Amino acid sequence: MLDKTGIAQRIAKEVKDGYYVNLGIGIPTLVANYVRNDIEVEFQSENGVLGMGPFPFEGEEDADVINAGKQTITTLPGASFFDSALSFSMIRGQHVDLTILGAMEVAENGDIANWKIPGKMVKGMGGAMDLVASAENIIVAMMHTNREGESKLLKRCSLPLTGVGCVKKIVTNLAVVEVTPNGFKLLERAPGVSVEEIQKATEGTLIVEGDIPEMEL
């Protein structure tokens, strides 16, 4: 079973040379720490940064350099800063190759709910609605179940939707799953996790074909 760091490490393997990548709040922000050193990737944050690097070491933080989640970040040589209008022009203009988001629920048809729990105060949907509406390649980083042990990979989302039919792949603490027209297709299982455990933790339709390999981080 993976922890949040392990999920980020596995997703980093999906990042290709030359990609422009947007990292959502939460687990996705860790991905920048684990991208291979032999490829060039530009990480974008919707608050107006292109060229984000790993998180700074303690004592080296600059409070003026933050990501969309208000976490301090580093920037790589050649990084640029700009206003939100230009940032969202990049997103809406589909100039981002890969979007990595957190989620509270994902449905088997690719619907995603990641912005609101009814009855709880939130500031708004934020940039998530632009990302899910514009991005063609969305990977979700999330835990497979909630704190009560209930599945977060569902037949239909119960929470308010952020986007419809947009998620392509999900990496959880238990598995790597692809969204297909017929449901969730199991691609990989986390170290020490059986197919049966993943099936038990998945409410939506789970397609299992042949031997499922264990993840390599």
Side-chain angles (χ1 to χ4, degrees):
M1 185 181 299
L2 302 181
D3 57 10
K4 293 180 180 180
T5 297
I7 294 173
Q9 284 180 280
R10 174 56 187 84
I11 291 178
K13 294 170 69 72
E14 301 287 327
V15 178
K16 309 299 182 187
D17 188 32
Y19 265 17
Y20 289 85
V21 181
N22 180 280
L23 300 178
I25 296 169
I27 297 174
T29 60
L30 302 173
V31 173
N33 293 340
Y34 301 105
V35 173
R36 286 165 33 202
N37 293 325
D38 62 337
I39 63 175
E40 291 190 9
V41 179
E42 296 286 348
F43 287 105
Q44 192 254 14
S45 182
E46 59 256 40
N47 60 316
V49 185
L50 186 64
M52 289 192 299
F55 284 120
F57 292 109
E58 187 174 353
E60 297 180 5
E61 304 94 338
D62 183 341
D64 291 325
V65 184
I66 60 173
N67 61 20
K70 301 181 179 64
Q71 298 167 303
T72 54
I73 57 171
T74 62
T75 54
L76 300 177
S80 56
F81 301 91
F82 35 84
D83 62 17
S84 292
L86 184 57
S87 179
F88 281 94
S89 293
M90 294 177 183
I91 294 167
R92 295 170 184 169
Q94 297 186 321
H95 303 293
V96 176
D97 299 296
L98 174 63
T99 297
I100 304 169
L101 298 173
M104 293 177 279
E105 295 177 345
V106 178
E108 62 184 40
N109 67 341
D111 293 352
I112 181 173
N114 77 341
W115 75 281
K116 182 176 176 64
I117 298 176
K120 291 196 175 183
M121 180 69 72
V122 294
K123 295 179 180 178
M125 190 179 290
M129 62 180 179
D130 297 272
L131 290 164
V132 299
S134 304
E136 295 185 354
N137 188 10
I138 296 176
I139 297 177
V140 167
M142 62 190 283
M143 294 298 174
H144 211 100
T145 58
N146 62 23
R147 291 175 182 173
E148 286 72 43
E150 299 166 334
S151 181
K152 296 168 69 173
L153 277 67
L154 309 173
K155 291 185 179 297
R156 296 185 63 182
C157 293
S158 62
L159 296 173
L161 295 182
T162 311
V164 175
C166 55
V167 175
K168 297 293 188 290
K169 189 177 286 186
I170 308 158
V171 180
T172 76
N173 55 319
L174 302 183
V176 179
V177 175
E178 181 183 8
V179 176
T180 76
N182 299 316
F184 299 118
K185 182 177 181 180
L186 182 59
L187 301 181
E188 301 173 20
R189 53 189 176 83
V193 176
S194 68
V195 172
E196 290 72 23
E197 288 177 277
I198 298 166
Q199 289 173 320
K200 186 177 179 181
T202 307
E203 184 208 274
T205 302
L206 185 68
I207 303 164
V208 181
E209 297 179 349
D211 293 330
I212 305 301
E214 198 170 90
M215 287 184 213
E216 294 183 8
L217 301 180

